Amino acid sequence: MICALGSAVCFGTASVLQAVAARAVAPGSGSGVDTALLMRALRQWRYLAGLALDALGFALELFALRHLPLYAVGAALAASLAVTAVVASWMLRVRLSGVEWAAVGVVCGGLAMLGLASGAEGAETGSLALRLGTLGVAAGVLGLGALAGRLPGRARAAALGLGAGIGFGVVEVAVRLTDDISPGALVTDPAAYAVLLGGGAAFLLLTSALQRGSVTAATAGMVIGETVGPALVGVVWLGDRTRPGLAPLAVAGFFLAVLGALALARFGEAPVVEEPGP
């Protein structure tokens, strides 16, 4: 659980840096899958620093996924919005309202409840059909991004955010399914390809969502996509359970953490503070 929370700290801080960098580059083509926009963002040092934190957060997430149920890890990752809000209030001098500070507290309380109620990860390794399914969903994320780029305003941001969340959720599930990390096994494992395709597609869609559109709508879609789906897969197909008698506490903690994150959705992109003119 410490690794899962450390991952949230890394992702939450990275989003502040990446958001500032994404807004500093020229607008993209309007497509939800805009590789040119991502390449321009990669020229910004803040974006690269954010990617370094993302890499560290991903390493911590990998360890957490090996020891915790998917619902616990997903809720912890959604809590990165609380980290982003706090970091933005410090680095960018963004003022948090009383409701938003309360939401940060709700997220922390929900995660504490999850930590107390979570059992060990399920013993199921997942069928070949489930592995192929994750790869198919990862490919579908790219299609969703292409369609989302044609939608207007708020609908486009919500669709891009949801697609990015589904991509990150695919990564969570696929990492859990990848039990043999030897080179020979990875080459023949569809889940390994799902990690690469799902993660890459999610980054493309998220960068486009950060650069334009309603931040709140995009982030809300992302939080739902990366938490609900993996949690259901873990419980239904992979055998994730809670400690005996603590299922209600886990359910309450999960929904509190997710709802608190949704209340902080505007911090999916930390506001950029403009420098005053002469």
Side-chain angles (χ1 to χ4, degrees), residues 51-272:
L51 288 180
L53 284 174
D54 281 332
L56 176 59
F58 184 62
L60 295 173
E61 179 188 353
L62 289 179
F63 185 83
L65 286 168
R66 294 292 183 180
H67 296 83
L68 284 178
L70 284 172
Y71 62 79
V73 178
L77 295 180
S80 64
L81 286 177
V83 176
T84 299
V86 174
V87 172
S89 70
W90 170 56
M91 289 182 60
L92 302 180
R93 298 179 182 177
V94 176
R95 180 172 296 178
L96 272 65
S97 68
V99 172
E100 288 168 337
W101 278 116
V104 171
V106 168
V107 169
C108 295
L111 290 176
M113 294 165 67
L114 267 178
L116 291 173
S118 296
E121 66 170 353
E124 301 294 332
T125 58
S127 63
L128 177 60
L130 182 59
R131 295 168 187 271
L132 291 173
T134 58
L135 182 57
V137 172
V141 170
L142 288 174
L144 177 59
L147 293 174
R150 303 175 183 178
L151 298 174
R154 191 177 184 86
R156 176 176 59 190
L160 286 173
L162 180 62
I166 293 173
F168 290 131
V170 165
V171 172
E172 294 175 35
V173 175
V175 166
R176 173 73 174 275
L177 294 175
T178 309
D179 51 353
D180 187 348
I181 58 174
S182 63
L186 289 177
V187 169
T188 59
D189 189 352
Y193 296 100
V195 171
L196 299 176
L197 184 57
F203 264 111
L204 284 175
L205 269 63
L206 182 58
T207 302
S208 295
L210 286 178
Q211 212 274 339
R212 62 170 63 80
S214 168
V215 174
T216 301
T219 306
M222 186 181 69
V223 168
I224 293 171
E226 72 178 349
T227 55
V228 177
L232 290 175
V233 171
V235 172
V236 176
W237 284 289
L238 299 179
D240 287 347
R241 296 293 182 266
T242 64
R243 293 182 181 179
L246 295 182
L249 184 65
V251 172
F254 177 84
F255 281 105
L256 282 176
V258 173
L259 290 174
L262 290 175
L264 296 167
R266 77 179 178 98
F267 290 98
E269 180 201 24
V272 179

